[in-house]
Amino acid sequence: MRLSPALLCLVALGCTPKSPQKPAPAPAAAASEPTAPTSAAVGSLAAASTAPEAVAPGTAAPPSAAPEPPTPDGAVGDAARPDGGAPDGARPDGASPDGAAPSSAAAPASAPPTVALDPREGRAAARCSKLVAAVAINGEKLSTFAKVAPAFAAVQDGGLVWICPGAHPVKATLLLKGRSQVTVAGRDALMLAVDDLAVLRLEGGAALRVLGVSFGHAVSGGGCASDVVQAKGVKGLLVRGVGLHGSGVVGLALDGVSDAVVEDSLVVECQTGLTAVGPRPTTRRNRFVLNDRHLGDGLTAGESDTLGPQRVQAGLPDVTPLSPDPLAGAAAVPLDDRLGKRWAILHTELFTELNGEACGRNAETGECTKVLPADGAAPEHPAAQAKALTVLRPDGPCVANLGPLQRLEHRGCEPSVFQVREVLGCAGPVAPMAFVGGEVAAVKGLRWVPRTGIGRGDAAPPELDAWAAKTLADDVIREPIVAASPGGHWAHVRWIADAGKERLVTHGVGIQLELGDCHVAERSYTASWVNDAAFALPDDLVTWTPWVGVLAREGRVWAVAARGATLTQLFVRQGATVKAAWEGYHSAEHDECLAGWGPLAHEYPCGP
């Protein structure tokens, strides 16, 4: 399930009936007064819940209002109350079902605009079930739907669309066009686009509200070509308690929207969190986290908005200069252990004509490797002519001799050929690359520190280690993909390399949420530290080409070595981050052919 939503706008535009003696044809779409998202909002991105507490989402309605199964088109209608009474769950005096003050009570002038409790929300929430994904209420008529999209098509002016708890795949942009006084609301509801499209588009109309629902893209960051939520030409828009996960694109895009208010919402991992063409929106008490840019051109943070860390962190200070470069003048070469020997891999080639009969395959892995004399020209690598090379062991550098140039033919997932030389001596664990030339063997205190810890663990959120539990309860849990995935698949890693004076630690969590019809959403989260200071390792060094240890120099972390299914890499430390210094292929096969998608990924539910 790499990870672009922004803030939806909401505006209380005085949609309640002007006279209690003369009911309006359609009650105003309203929400309970929200609270700003906090670290305690575990399991619910929209801490600003919009459903009255008296009716919990997904609970059974009273017998007289038991939910009916949806018809083939997904709709079921309720007849209007013959006695003209209030909708289910409403109090005749206008108070909320849980005894709150009547909705007509005026808010203090200094307080933010409030949105009155809407009894229709409790009535709609009570109809949610395994067969009901959304509810539409128009006047006194209530219709239930097995999918979300038909509810948007059915809602009329003054109506309510209630999104039931859970994750709902969106295969075509949900559209509200030319509608007025419509509310889209929900609790613990997540709508995920499964393709490169906007999740929700509001076009024209007036007095629209989006309350408590989360929106995002199922694809990972950078994979989406459209905004998460779009609004164009709307007169009056309120977005409250909404979660937007941008996956690398714009979260909330406003175009010619007047009187827009965005509040108590979370905008995560967008290219730009909130943009506006034309009138500027009012924003307050929102959280912007890990976006490339939190706000678009011409926008500034509003009252109590929090602009958290941005995803792009440039200009980190070089707090640990380690010079001269111990590898200056040295050429690196990847190492690989096959057939009980250690080989320096000078060249790899894929889809090559293999010589002779197919060798006997390993009964468990199906792989087969043959050693043949070298043929053709030697590869253009210093190790092709060198007599020896330097490997790094936990006790320091070690000089090993090199055998003659040979050819390995490998039949695994795909056929490939390697030009290699056997490494003679220096047995035991070593760094995944060796060095030819330079002064590596003479560098004082340079040694290899392999990674230890949890390579991969599968666990439900309560069973994650201390860091994962704290992180998920703090920032990550606010993302919609996490908030709606208590039944998803989880994986976590905890890696440690103790160099002596310094210790590199990495934690990672991977989550997969099945959306049905073979659609999934995945997210991964990583964090690293050197001692107690944050260390900016690229996510790829956990998710795709995992780091396997560090090159330590006099007790300090000097470089980080990574090894994926096909690629070996070396990253030299620069302050609080690292810089790519070298890479070489130890296999020519494709990564996903060999090892799936990394230690935090999950199997695709519908096959390979």
Side-chain angles (χ1 to χ4, degrees), residues 327-334 344-347 378-390 400-405 419-421 434-438 582-583:
L327 305 184
V333 59
I345 308 296
L346 278 58
H347 180 72
E380 295 181 1
H381 190 288
Q385 307 299 330
K387 294 181 179 180
L389 48 65
T390 302
N401 293 326
L402 286 170
L405 187 65
Q419 288 180 290
V420 301
R421 294 183 71 182
F435 305 93
V436 177
W582 169 84
E583 66 180 28

PDB file of all heavy atoms in Angstrom, residues 327-334 344-347 378-390 400-405 419-421 434-438 582-583:
ATOM      1  N   LEU A 327      38.628   5.950   1.811  1.00  0.00           N
ATOM      2  CA  LEU A 327      38.485   5.188   0.577  1.00  0.00           C
ATOM      3  C   LEU A 327      38.998   5.943  -0.644  1.00  0.00           C
ATOM      4  O   LEU A 327      38.785   5.510  -1.774  1.00  0.00           O
ATOM      5  CB  LEU A 327      37.016   4.799   0.367  1.00  0.00           C
ATOM      6  CG  LEU A 327      36.355   4.041   1.528  1.00  0.00           C
ATOM      7  CD1 LEU A 327      34.948   3.632   1.164  1.00  0.00           C
ATOM      8  CD2 LEU A 327      37.181   2.836   1.922  1.00  0.00           C
ATOM      9  N   ALA A 328      39.645   7.077  -0.414  1.00  0.00           N
ATOM     10  CA  ALA A 328      40.155   7.859  -1.544  1.00  0.00           C
ATOM     11  C   ALA A 328      41.125   7.014  -2.364  1.00  0.00           C
ATOM     12  O   ALA A 328      42.033   6.373  -1.830  1.00  0.00           O
ATOM     13  CB  ALA A 328      40.851   9.120  -1.036  1.00  0.00           C
ATOM     14  N   GLY A 329      40.921   6.998  -3.665  1.00  0.00           N
ATOM     15  CA  GLY A 329      41.789   6.247  -4.557  1.00  0.00           C
ATOM     16  C   GLY A 329      41.498   4.767  -4.629  1.00  0.00           C
ATOM     17  O   GLY A 329      42.202   4.024  -5.328  1.00  0.00           O
ATOM     18  N   ALA A 330      40.476   4.293  -3.902  1.00  0.00           N
ATOM     19  CA  ALA A 330      40.152   2.870  -3.906  1.00  0.00           C
ATOM     20  C   ALA A 330      38.942   2.617  -4.794  1.00  0.00           C
ATOM     21  O   ALA A 330      38.034   3.438  -4.881  1.00  0.00           O
ATOM     22  CB  ALA A 330      39.869   2.388  -2.486  1.00  0.00           C
ATOM     23  N   ALA A 331      38.909   1.472  -5.456  1.00  0.00           N
ATOM     24  CA  ALA A 331      37.761   1.045  -6.254  1.00  0.00           C
ATOM     25  C   ALA A 331      37.055  -0.075  -5.505  1.00  0.00           C
ATOM     26  O   ALA A 331      37.703  -1.015  -5.016  1.00  0.00           O
ATOM     27  CB  ALA A 331      38.216   0.560  -7.629  1.00  0.00           C
ATOM     28  N   ALA A 332      35.725   0.034  -5.388  1.00  0.00           N
ATOM     29  CA  ALA A 332      34.958  -0.974  -4.655  1.00  0.00           C
ATOM     30  C   ALA A 332      34.432  -2.034  -5.618  1.00  0.00           C
ATOM     31  O   ALA A 332      34.235  -1.789  -6.814  1.00  0.00           O
ATOM     32  CB  ALA A 332      33.803  -0.307  -3.914  1.00  0.00           C
ATOM     33  N   VAL A 333      34.170  -3.221  -5.069  1.00  0.00           N
ATOM     34  CA  VAL A 333      33.615  -4.323  -5.840  1.00  0.00           C
ATOM     35  C   VAL A 333      32.679  -5.112  -4.916  1.00  0.00           C
ATOM     36  O   VAL A 333      33.010  -5.357  -3.749  1.00  0.00           O
ATOM     37  CB  VAL A 333      34.741  -5.222  -6.408  1.00  0.00           C
ATOM     38  CG1 VAL A 333      35.596  -5.792  -5.298  1.00  0.00           C
ATOM     39  CG2 VAL A 333      34.156  -6.335  -7.266  1.00  0.00           C
ATOM     40  N   PRO A 334      31.473  -5.483  -5.385  1.00  0.00           N
ATOM     41  CA  PRO A 334      30.557  -6.247  -4.521  1.00  0.00           C
ATOM     42  C   PRO A 334      31.047  -7.664  -4.302  1.00  0.00           C
ATOM     43  O   PRO A 334      31.712  -8.262  -5.165  1.00  0.00           O
ATOM     44  CB  PRO A 334      29.235  -6.221  -5.293  1.00  0.00           C
ATOM     45  CG  PRO A 334      29.599  -5.948  -6.704  1.00  0.00           C
ATOM     46  CD  PRO A 334      30.852  -5.137  -6.675  1.00  0.00           C
ATOM     47  N   ALA A 344      34.358 -12.100  -5.706  1.00  0.00           N
ATOM     48  CA  ALA A 344      34.279 -10.678  -6.077  1.00  0.00           C
ATOM     49  C   ALA A 344      33.555 -10.628  -7.426  1.00  0.00           C
ATOM     50  O   ALA A 344      34.001 -11.246  -8.401  1.00  0.00           O
ATOM     51  CB  ALA A 344      35.669 -10.075  -6.185  1.00  0.00           C
ATOM     52  N   ILE A 345      32.432  -9.904  -7.468  1.00  0.00           N
ATOM     53  CA  ILE A 345      31.594  -9.857  -8.677  1.00  0.00           C
ATOM     54  C   ILE A 345      32.053  -8.681  -9.534  1.00  0.00           C
ATOM     55  O   ILE A 345      31.794  -7.514  -9.223  1.00  0.00           O
ATOM     56  CB  ILE A 345      30.108  -9.707  -8.322  1.00  0.00           C
ATOM     57  CG1 ILE A 345      29.689 -10.769  -7.304  1.00  0.00           C
ATOM     58  CG2 ILE A 345      29.252  -9.794  -9.585  1.00  0.00           C
ATOM     59  CD1 ILE A 345      29.765 -12.182  -7.792  1.00  0.00           C
ATOM     60  N   LEU A 346      32.721  -8.975 -10.648  1.00  0.00           N
ATOM     61  CA  LEU A 346      33.266  -7.909 -11.484  1.00  0.00           C
ATOM     62  C   LEU A 346      32.278  -7.428 -12.542  1.00  0.00           C
ATOM     63  O   LEU A 346      32.328  -6.274 -12.963  1.00  0.00           O
ATOM     64  CB  LEU A 346      34.551  -8.388 -12.171  1.00  0.00           C
ATOM     65  CG  LEU A 346      35.846  -8.328 -11.354  1.00  0.00           C
ATOM     66  CD1 LEU A 346      35.768  -9.131 -10.073  1.00  0.00           C
ATOM     67  CD2 LEU A 346      37.023  -8.793 -12.203  1.00  0.00           C
ATOM     68  N   HIS A 347      31.387  -8.341 -12.970  1.00  0.00           N
ATOM     69  CA  HIS A 347      30.440  -7.963 -14.025  1.00  0.00           C
ATOM     70  C   HIS A 347      29.259  -8.937 -13.980  1.00  0.00           C
ATOM     71  O   HIS A 347      29.432 -10.129 -13.708  1.00  0.00           O
ATOM     72  CB  HIS A 347      31.110  -8.013 -15.407  1.00  0.00           C
ATOM     73  CG  HIS A 347      30.184  -7.643 -16.534  1.00  0.00           C
ATOM     74  ND1 HIS A 347      29.764  -6.350 -16.746  1.00  0.00           N
ATOM     75  CD2 HIS A 347      29.593  -8.397 -17.504  1.00  0.00           C
ATOM     76  CE1 HIS A 347      28.962  -6.318 -17.801  1.00  0.00           C
ATOM     77  NE2 HIS A 347      28.837  -7.552 -18.276  1.00  0.00           N
ATOM     78  N   ALA A 378      38.441  -9.646 -20.451  1.00  0.00           N
ATOM     79  CA  ALA A 378      38.265  -9.378 -19.027  1.00  0.00           C
ATOM     80  C   ALA A 378      37.477  -8.086 -18.843  1.00  0.00           C
ATOM     81  O   ALA A 378      37.583  -7.157 -19.643  1.00  0.00           O
ATOM     82  CB  ALA A 378      39.624  -9.269 -18.352  1.00  0.00           C
ATOM     83  N   PRO A 379      36.667  -7.980 -17.805  1.00  0.00           N
ATOM     84  CA  PRO A 379      35.897  -6.758 -17.568  1.00  0.00           C
ATOM     85  C   PRO A 379      36.813  -5.585 -17.235  1.00  0.00           C
ATOM     86  O   PRO A 379      37.928  -5.764 -16.730  1.00  0.00           O
ATOM     87  CB  PRO A 379      35.018  -7.128 -16.371  1.00  0.00           C
ATOM     88  CG  PRO A 379      35.719  -8.257 -15.705  1.00  0.00           C
ATOM     89  CD  PRO A 379      36.425  -9.006 -16.782  1.00  0.00           C
ATOM     90  N   GLU A 380      36.328  -4.396 -17.516  1.00  0.00           N
ATOM     91  CA  GLU A 380      37.105  -3.186 -17.244  1.00  0.00           C
ATOM     92  C   GLU A 380      36.907  -2.759 -15.795  1.00  0.00           C
ATOM     93  O   GLU A 380      36.177  -1.808 -15.504  1.00  0.00           O
ATOM     94  CB  GLU A 380      36.704  -2.075 -18.215  1.00  0.00           C
ATOM     95  CG  GLU A 380      37.038  -2.385 -19.667  1.00  0.00           C
ATOM     96  CD  GLU A 380      36.658  -1.250 -20.594  1.00  0.00           C
ATOM     97  OE1 GLU A 380      36.151  -0.223 -20.092  1.00  0.00           O
ATOM     98  OE2 GLU A 380      36.854  -1.378 -21.811  1.00  0.00           O
ATOM     99  N   HIS A 381      37.539  -3.458 -14.901  1.00  0.00           N
ATOM    100  CA  HIS A 381      37.462  -3.137 -13.475  1.00  0.00           C
ATOM    101  C   HIS A 381      38.844  -3.361 -12.884  1.00  0.00           C
ATOM    102  O   HIS A 381      39.528  -4.336 -13.229  1.00  0.00           O
ATOM    103  CB  HIS A 381      36.435  -4.027 -12.776  1.00  0.00           C
ATOM    104  CG  HIS A 381      36.130  -3.594 -11.371  1.00  0.00           C
ATOM    105  ND1 HIS A 381      37.014  -3.746 -10.326  1.00  0.00           N
ATOM    106  CD2 HIS A 381      35.038  -2.990 -10.847  1.00  0.00           C
ATOM    107  CE1 HIS A 381      36.479  -3.269  -9.214  1.00  0.00           C
ATOM    108  NE2 HIS A 381      35.278  -2.804  -9.502  1.00  0.00           N
ATOM    109  N   PRO A 382      39.313  -2.479 -11.999  1.00  0.00           N
ATOM    110  CA  PRO A 382      40.657  -2.658 -11.424  1.00  0.00           C
ATOM    111  C   PRO A 382      40.862  -4.025 -10.788  1.00  0.00           C
ATOM    112  O   PRO A 382      41.986  -4.544 -10.766  1.00  0.00           O
ATOM    113  CB  PRO A 382      40.731  -1.532 -10.381  1.00  0.00           C
ATOM    114  CG  PRO A 382      39.798  -0.479 -10.900  1.00  0.00           C
ATOM    115  CD  PRO A 382      38.682  -1.224 -11.559  1.00  0.00           C
ATOM    116  N   ALA A 383      39.785  -4.631 -10.287  1.00  0.00           N
ATOM    117  CA  ALA A 383      39.925  -5.934  -9.646  1.00  0.00           C
ATOM    118  C   ALA A 383      40.212  -7.048 -10.638  1.00  0.00           C
ATOM    119  O   ALA A 383      40.610  -8.154 -10.244  1.00  0.00           O
ATOM    120  CB  ALA A 383      38.651  -6.263  -8.857  1.00  0.00           C
ATOM    121  N   ALA A 384      40.023  -6.779 -11.948  1.00  0.00           N
ATOM    122  CA  ALA A 384      40.300  -7.806 -12.950  1.00  0.00           C
ATOM    123  C   ALA A 384      41.780  -8.102 -13.053  1.00  0.00           C
ATOM    124  O   ALA A 384      42.186  -9.234 -13.397  1.00  0.00           O
ATOM    125  CB  ALA A 384      39.741  -7.372 -14.306  1.00  0.00           C
ATOM    126  N   GLN A 385      42.633  -7.114 -12.773  1.00  0.00           N
ATOM    127  CA  GLN A 385      44.092  -7.281 -12.899  1.00  0.00           C
ATOM    128  C   GLN A 385      44.798  -7.322 -11.548  1.00  0.00           C
ATOM    129  O   GLN A 385      45.981  -7.683 -11.481  1.00  0.00           O
ATOM    130  CB  GLN A 385      44.672  -6.133 -13.741  1.00  0.00           C
ATOM    131  CG  GLN A 385      44.003  -5.937 -15.087  1.00  0.00           C
ATOM    132  CD  GLN A 385      44.127  -7.154 -15.982  1.00  0.00           C
ATOM    133  OE1 GLN A 385      45.099  -7.901 -15.887  1.00  0.00           O
ATOM    134  NE2 GLN A 385      43.140  -7.373 -16.844  1.00  0.00           N
ATOM    135  N   ALA A 386      44.106  -6.965 -10.472  1.00  0.00           N
ATOM    136  CA  ALA A 386      44.762  -6.894  -9.167  1.00  0.00           C
ATOM    137  C   ALA A 386      45.091  -8.287  -8.631  1.00  0.00           C
ATOM    138  O   ALA A 386      44.430  -9.272  -8.951  1.00  0.00           O
ATOM    139  CB  ALA A 386      43.857  -6.149  -8.175  1.00  0.00           C
ATOM    140  N   LYS A 387      46.123  -8.370  -7.789  1.00  0.00           N
ATOM    141  CA  LYS A 387      46.491  -9.630  -7.156  1.00  0.00           C
ATOM    142  C   LYS A 387      45.759  -9.852  -5.839  1.00  0.00           C
ATOM    143  O   LYS A 387      45.619 -10.984  -5.378  1.00  0.00           O
ATOM    144  CB  LYS A 387      47.997  -9.662  -6.915  1.00  0.00           C
ATOM    145  CG  LYS A 387      48.840  -9.672  -8.185  1.00  0.00           C
ATOM    146  CD  LYS A 387      50.324  -9.737  -7.852  1.00  0.00           C
ATOM    147  CE  LYS A 387      51.173  -9.778  -9.126  1.00  0.00           C
ATOM    148  NZ  LYS A 387      52.629  -9.853  -8.813  1.00  0.00           N
ATOM    149  N   ALA A 388      45.318  -8.733  -5.218  1.00  0.00           N
ATOM    150  CA  ALA A 388      44.666  -8.837  -3.909  1.00  0.00           C
ATOM    151  C   ALA A 388      43.685  -7.678  -3.754  1.00  0.00           C
ATOM    152  O   ALA A 388      43.675  -6.718  -4.529  1.00  0.00           O
ATOM    153  CB  ALA A 388      45.703  -8.820  -2.791  1.00  0.00           C
ATOM    154  N   LEU A 389      42.858  -7.795  -2.741  1.00  0.00           N
ATOM    155  CA  LEU A 389      41.936  -6.707  -2.385  1.00  0.00           C
ATOM    156  C   LEU A 389      41.789  -6.675  -0.870  1.00  0.00           C
ATOM    157  O   LEU A 389      42.235  -7.584  -0.161  1.00  0.00           O
ATOM    158  CB  LEU A 389      40.584  -6.861  -3.089  1.00  0.00           C
ATOM    159  CG  LEU A 389      39.851  -8.202  -3.092  1.00  0.00           C
ATOM    160  CD1 LEU A 389      39.417  -8.642  -1.731  1.00  0.00           C
ATOM    161  CD2 LEU A 389      38.650  -8.126  -4.038  1.00  0.00           C
ATOM    162  N   THR A 390      41.166  -5.619  -0.363  1.00  0.00           N
ATOM    163  CA  THR A 390      40.988  -5.441   1.081  1.00  0.00           C
ATOM    164  C   THR A 390      39.528  -5.614   1.441  1.00  0.00           C
ATOM    165  O   THR A 390      38.655  -4.948   0.867  1.00  0.00           O
ATOM    166  CB  THR A 390      41.466  -4.056   1.538  1.00  0.00           C
ATOM    167  OG1 THR A 390      42.853  -3.894   1.186  1.00  0.00           O
ATOM    168  CG2 THR A 390      41.304  -3.893   3.036  1.00  0.00           C
ATOM    169  N   ALA A 400      43.100  -9.955   1.199  1.00  0.00           N
ATOM    170  CA  ALA A 400      42.867 -11.301   0.673  1.00  0.00           C
ATOM    171  C   ALA A 400      43.371 -11.383  -0.758  1.00  0.00           C
ATOM    172  O   ALA A 400      43.246 -10.423  -1.533  1.00  0.00           O
ATOM    173  CB  ALA A 400      41.380 -11.641   0.727  1.00  0.00           C
ATOM    174  N   ASN A 401      43.937 -12.524  -1.101  1.00  0.00           N
ATOM    175  CA  ASN A 401      44.367 -12.747  -2.475  1.00  0.00           C
ATOM    176  C   ASN A 401      43.161 -13.049  -3.371  1.00  0.00           C
ATOM    177  O   ASN A 401      42.080 -13.425  -2.895  1.00  0.00           O
ATOM    178  CB  ASN A 401      45.366 -13.911  -2.544  1.00  0.00           C
ATOM    179  CG  ASN A 401      46.669 -13.580  -1.861  1.00  0.00           C
ATOM    180  OD1 ASN A 401      47.119 -12.424  -1.894  1.00  0.00           O
ATOM    181  ND2 ASN A 401      47.292 -14.574  -1.230  1.00  0.00           N
ATOM    182  N   LEU A 402      43.383 -12.928  -4.684  1.00  0.00           N
ATOM    183  CA  LEU A 402      42.324 -13.170  -5.653  1.00  0.00           C
ATOM    184  C   LEU A 402      42.709 -14.331  -6.559  1.00  0.00           C
ATOM    185  O   LEU A 402      43.855 -14.434  -7.027  1.00  0.00           O
ATOM    186  CB  LEU A 402      42.068 -11.919  -6.501  1.00  0.00           C
ATOM    187  CG  LEU A 402      41.338 -10.779  -5.804  1.00  0.00           C
ATOM    188  CD1 LEU A 402      41.368  -9.526  -6.664  1.00  0.00           C
ATOM    189  CD2 LEU A 402      39.910 -11.171  -5.471  1.00  0.00           C
ATOM    190  N   GLY A 403      41.747 -15.212  -6.818  1.00  0.00           N
ATOM    191  CA  GLY A 403      41.953 -16.309  -7.735  1.00  0.00           C
ATOM    192  C   GLY A 403      41.809 -15.852  -9.175  1.00  0.00           C
ATOM    193  O   GLY A 403      41.580 -14.666  -9.464  1.00  0.00           O
ATOM    194  N   PRO A 404      41.917 -16.781 -10.118  1.00  0.00           N
ATOM    195  CA  PRO A 404      41.822 -16.425 -11.536  1.00  0.00           C
ATOM    196  C   PRO A 404      40.408 -15.981 -11.919  1.00  0.00           C
ATOM    197  O   PRO A 404      39.430 -16.278 -11.229  1.00  0.00           O
ATOM    198  CB  PRO A 404      42.212 -17.732 -12.247  1.00  0.00           C
ATOM    199  CG  PRO A 404      41.849 -18.812 -11.282  1.00  0.00           C
ATOM    200  CD  PRO A 404      42.127 -18.244  -9.918  1.00  0.00           C
ATOM    201  N   LEU A 405      40.331 -15.275 -13.021  1.00  0.00           N
ATOM    202  CA  LEU A 405      39.041 -14.834 -13.548  1.00  0.00           C
ATOM    203  C   LEU A 405      38.239 -16.059 -13.992  1.00  0.00           C
ATOM    204  O   LEU A 405      38.760 -16.936 -14.703  1.00  0.00           O
ATOM    205  CB  LEU A 405      39.255 -13.878 -14.719  1.00  0.00           C
ATOM    206  CG  LEU A 405      38.008 -13.199 -15.281  1.00  0.00           C
ATOM    207  CD1 LEU A 405      37.400 -12.271 -14.252  1.00  0.00           C
ATOM    208  CD2 LEU A 405      38.353 -12.429 -16.555  1.00  0.00           C
ATOM    209  N   GLN A 419      30.988 -12.525 -14.184  1.00  0.00           N
ATOM    210  CA  GLN A 419      32.435 -12.646 -14.284  1.00  0.00           C
ATOM    211  C   GLN A 419      32.990 -12.375 -12.895  1.00  0.00           C
ATOM    212  O   GLN A 419      32.741 -11.307 -12.304  1.00  0.00           O
ATOM    213  CB  GLN A 419      32.995 -11.673 -15.314  1.00  0.00           C
ATOM    214  CG  GLN A 419      32.663 -12.076 -16.745  1.00  0.00           C
ATOM    215  CD  GLN A 419      33.228 -11.113 -17.756  1.00  0.00           C
ATOM    216  OE1 GLN A 419      32.766  -9.978 -17.863  1.00  0.00           O
ATOM    217  NE2 GLN A 419      34.232 -11.556 -18.508  1.00  0.00           N
ATOM    218  N   VAL A 420      33.745 -13.324 -12.352  1.00  0.00           N
ATOM    219  CA  VAL A 420      34.097 -13.289 -10.937  1.00  0.00           C
ATOM    220  C   VAL A 420      35.553 -13.679 -10.732  1.00  0.00           C
ATOM    221  O   VAL A 420      36.201 -14.265 -11.611  1.00  0.00           O
ATOM    222  CB  VAL A 420      33.197 -14.246 -10.133  1.00  0.00           C
ATOM    223  CG1 VAL A 420      31.737 -13.874 -10.272  1.00  0.00           C
ATOM    224  CG2 VAL A 420      33.423 -15.700 -10.568  1.00  0.00           C
ATOM    225  N   ARG A 421      36.042 -13.379  -9.523  1.00  0.00           N
ATOM    226  CA  ARG A 421      37.314 -13.916  -9.040  1.00  0.00           C
ATOM    227  C   ARG A 421      37.084 -14.357  -7.601  1.00  0.00           C
ATOM    228  O   ARG A 421      36.438 -13.640  -6.809  1.00  0.00           O
ATOM    229  CB  ARG A 421      38.422 -12.867  -9.113  1.00  0.00           C
ATOM    230  CG  ARG A 421      38.771 -12.451 -10.530  1.00  0.00           C
ATOM    231  CD  ARG A 421      39.935 -11.465 -10.548  1.00  0.00           C
ATOM    232  NE  ARG A 421      41.196 -12.126 -10.189  1.00  0.00           N
ATOM    233  CZ  ARG A 421      42.362 -11.478 -10.096  1.00  0.00           C
ATOM    234  NH1 ARG A 421      42.421 -10.166 -10.349  1.00  0.00           N
ATOM    235  NH2 ARG A 421      43.461 -12.126  -9.761  1.00  0.00           N
ATOM    236  N   ALA A 434      34.335  -5.049  -1.211  1.00  0.00           N
ATOM    237  CA  ALA A 434      35.769  -5.018  -0.924  1.00  0.00           C
ATOM    238  C   ALA A 434      36.394  -3.885  -1.726  1.00  0.00           C
ATOM    239  O   ALA A 434      35.740  -3.265  -2.576  1.00  0.00           O
ATOM    240  CB  ALA A 434      36.401  -6.358  -1.273  1.00  0.00           C
ATOM    241  N   PHE A 435      37.700  -3.613  -1.482  1.00  0.00           N
ATOM    242  CA  PHE A 435      38.331  -2.435  -2.062  1.00  0.00           C
ATOM    243  C   PHE A 435      39.668  -2.815  -2.691  1.00  0.00           C
ATOM    244  O   PHE A 435      40.455  -3.597  -2.128  1.00  0.00           O
ATOM    245  CB  PHE A 435      38.519  -1.362  -0.998  1.00  0.00           C
ATOM    246  CG  PHE A 435      37.241  -1.000  -0.308  1.00  0.00           C
ATOM    247  CD1 PHE A 435      36.867  -1.632   0.871  1.00  0.00           C
ATOM    248  CD2 PHE A 435      36.385  -0.054  -0.856  1.00  0.00           C
ATOM    249  CE1 PHE A 435      35.671  -1.318   1.500  1.00  0.00           C
ATOM    250  CE2 PHE A 435      35.192   0.254  -0.233  1.00  0.00           C
ATOM    251  CZ  PHE A 435      34.835  -0.377   0.938  1.00  0.00           C
ATOM    252  N   VAL A 436      39.913  -2.238  -3.868  1.00  0.00           N
ATOM    253  CA  VAL A 436      41.166  -2.456  -4.587  1.00  0.00           C
ATOM    254  C   VAL A 436      41.880  -1.115  -4.694  1.00  0.00           C
ATOM    255  O   VAL A 436      41.278  -0.115  -5.112  1.00  0.00           O
ATOM    256  CB  VAL A 436      40.905  -3.027  -5.994  1.00  0.00           C
ATOM    257  CG1 VAL A 436      42.221  -3.169  -6.758  1.00  0.00           C
ATOM    258  CG2 VAL A 436      40.192  -4.362  -5.896  1.00  0.00           C
ATOM    259  N   GLY A 437      43.157  -1.079  -4.323  1.00  0.00           N
ATOM    260  CA  GLY A 437      43.903   0.167  -4.372  1.00  0.00           C
ATOM    261  C   GLY A 437      43.622   1.021  -3.151  1.00  0.00           C
ATOM    262  O   GLY A 437      42.924   0.637  -2.211  1.00  0.00           O
ATOM    263  N   GLY A 438      44.171   2.234  -3.147  1.00  0.00           N
ATOM    264  CA  GLY A 438      43.977   3.138  -2.032  1.00  0.00           C
ATOM    265  C   GLY A 438      44.727   2.693  -0.794  1.00  0.00           C
ATOM    266  O   GLY A 438      45.601   1.827  -0.841  1.00  0.00           O
ATOM    267  N   TRP A 582      28.869   4.929  -3.796  1.00  0.00           N
ATOM    268  CA  TRP A 582      29.209   3.851  -4.725  1.00  0.00           C
ATOM    269  C   TRP A 582      28.067   2.846  -4.772  1.00  0.00           C
ATOM    270  O   TRP A 582      27.318   2.680  -3.796  1.00  0.00           O
ATOM    271  CB  TRP A 582      30.484   3.150  -4.259  1.00  0.00           C
ATOM    272  CG  TRP A 582      30.750   1.861  -5.017  1.00  0.00           C
ATOM    273  CD1 TRP A 582      31.371   1.711  -6.215  1.00  0.00           C
ATOM    274  CD2 TRP A 582      30.342   0.550  -4.608  1.00  0.00           C
ATOM    275  NE1 TRP A 582      31.387   0.380  -6.592  1.00  0.00           N
ATOM    276  CE2 TRP A 582      30.764  -0.350  -5.606  1.00  0.00           C
ATOM    277  CE3 TRP A 582      29.657   0.046  -3.495  1.00  0.00           C
ATOM    278  CZ2 TRP A 582      30.525  -1.717  -5.527  1.00  0.00           C
ATOM    279  CZ3 TRP A 582      29.423  -1.318  -3.415  1.00  0.00           C
ATOM    280  CH2 TRP A 582      29.867  -2.183  -4.432  1.00  0.00           C
ATOM    281  N   GLU A 583      27.925   2.167  -5.929  1.00  0.00           N
ATOM    282  CA  GLU A 583      26.991   1.055  -6.033  1.00  0.00           C
ATOM    283  C   GLU A 583      27.494   0.062  -7.070  1.00  0.00           C
ATOM    284  O   GLU A 583      28.198   0.430  -8.022  1.00  0.00           O
ATOM    285  CB  GLU A 583      25.585   1.526  -6.407  1.00  0.00           C
ATOM    286  CG  GLU A 583      25.445   2.120  -7.792  1.00  0.00           C
ATOM    287  CD  GLU A 583      24.018   2.557  -8.092  1.00  0.00           C
ATOM    288  OE1 GLU A 583      23.301   2.891  -7.125  1.00  0.00           O
ATOM    289  OE2 GLU A 583      23.624   2.542  -9.262  1.00  0.00           O
TER     290      GLU A 583
END
